Amino acid sequence: MKLLEDRIREDGQVLGADVLKVDNFLNHQIDPDLMMALGEEFHRRFADAPITKILTVESSGIAPALAAGMAFHVPVVFARKHKSLTLKDNLYTATVYSFTKKTSNEISISKKFLSADDNVLIIDDFLANGQAVEGLIEIIGQAQATLSGVGIVIEKTFQKGRQLLDERQIHVESLARIAAFENGQVVFAPEA
Ligand code: G4P
């Protein structure tokens, strides 16, 4: 998606060998107009799927997931990484290991927000090693809901997440695909 690629070129910052900092518009300060455009683009790309719910994981997935929810006019559920006062029992839970942060998180959602009747679109900000998406897929399985697809804002094609999802024949749409970082610059891969 050209709008997003242009924004990454303009405001993204390459950190080390494999990390892109996008806190200017995606995961710290958020550009609402850009989010709305991303939501519309996800809607266009999954127009044929009978989506009833958007699922993401806190925190950075929430903004693009909400934008997608507004385009599809369906509820948005985000998995929590911490139990809260009101989120204790009747949970679907999965363990997610972050290769980037080298920590494990238990992610949970309340059983009342996902059922066997749901057709779910997963939305997340980054697809790197795919562990967050795998955790959400496990939760969808526990609920016996149907996974309709995975929408990603920024995919890093040189990490293994996309391959894991392709092997499972999951419909994945990434709005920007990064093939490499070279001399501090982003090299984009063609759309899949
Ligand atoms: P995964 O998300 O595909 O499972 O891969 P990984 O385990 O490597 O990523 C763990 C966390 O790091 C995720 O955030 C993911 O969004 C973030 N991440 C991965 N690659 C990049 C990158 O190039 N740039 C930035 N800014 N973040 C990246 P998280 O732990 O879920 O944190 P949150 O920000 O959503 O709270």
Side-chain angles (χ1 to χ4, degrees):
M1 183 186 182
K2 186 173 181 312
L3 179 72
L4 178 62
E5 290 186 1
D6 288 347
R7 189 60 180 269
I8 292 170
R9 275 193 202 96
E10 206 169 303
D11 283 335
Q13 240 182 298
V14 177
L15 298 183
D18 58 8
V19 172
L20 179 71
K21 189 169 175 180
V22 284
D23 64 350
N24 183 294
F25 60 94
L26 182 58
N27 59 17
H28 195 12
Q29 173 170 268
I30 295 167
D31 179 335
D33 292 325
L34 178 66
M35 289 309 117
M36 294 309 285
L38 302 184
E40 293 295 339
E41 182 66 13
F42 283 130
H43 184 244
R44 196 180 67 74
R45 294 189 187 203
F46 289 99
D48 296 337
I51 309 292
T52 62
K53 208 151 272 191
I54 308 289
L55 185 62
T56 190
V57 58
E58 68 173 344
S59 55
S60 305
I62 295 175
L66 176 63
M70 292 178 79
F72 281 92
H73 299 284
V74 299
V76 178
V77 181
F78 64 91
R80 288 184 182 266
K81 290 177 181 162
H82 304 282
K83 300 268 172 7
S84 75
L85 204 58
T86 54
L87 185 80
K88 283 186 196 153
D89 322 301
N90 284 320
L91 305 175
Y92 297 120
T93 294
T95 302
V96 172
Y97 178 73
S98 165
F99 287 97
T100 307
K101 298 180 177 171
K102 301 195 171 39
T103 54
S104 277
N105 269 307
E106 201 164 76
I107 61 166
S108 305
I109 75 162
S110 172
K111 287 187 177 173
K112 69 181 174 210
F113 295 131
L114 201 56
S115 78
D117 296 333
D118 279 315
N119 279 287
V120 181
L121 174 61
I122 293 175
I123 297 285
D124 210 355
D125 58 337
F126 274 95
L127 180 61
N129 295 291
Q131 299 307 295
V133 173
E134 292 275 346
L136 292 174
I137 292 172
E138 193 183 324
I139 282 176
I140 289 168
Q142 289 170 22
Q144 297 181 298
T146 303
L147 174 63
S148 290
V150 176
I152 297 293
V153 180
I154 302 173
E155 173 188 329
K156 293 187 288 184
T157 64
F158 54 88
Q159 292 179 309
K160 67 175 193 310
R162 178 60 183 258
Q163 192 191 331
L164 288 177
L165 299 179
D166 284 348
E167 280 165 8
R168 297 170 69 158
Q169 296 184 317
I170 292 167
H171 178 188
V172 182
E173 292 285 344
S174 303
L175 304 189
R177 304 183 74 226
I178 296 178
F181 298 122
E182 280 176 14
N183 304 321
Q185 300 297 309
V186 176
V187 180
F188 288 101
E191 292 199 357

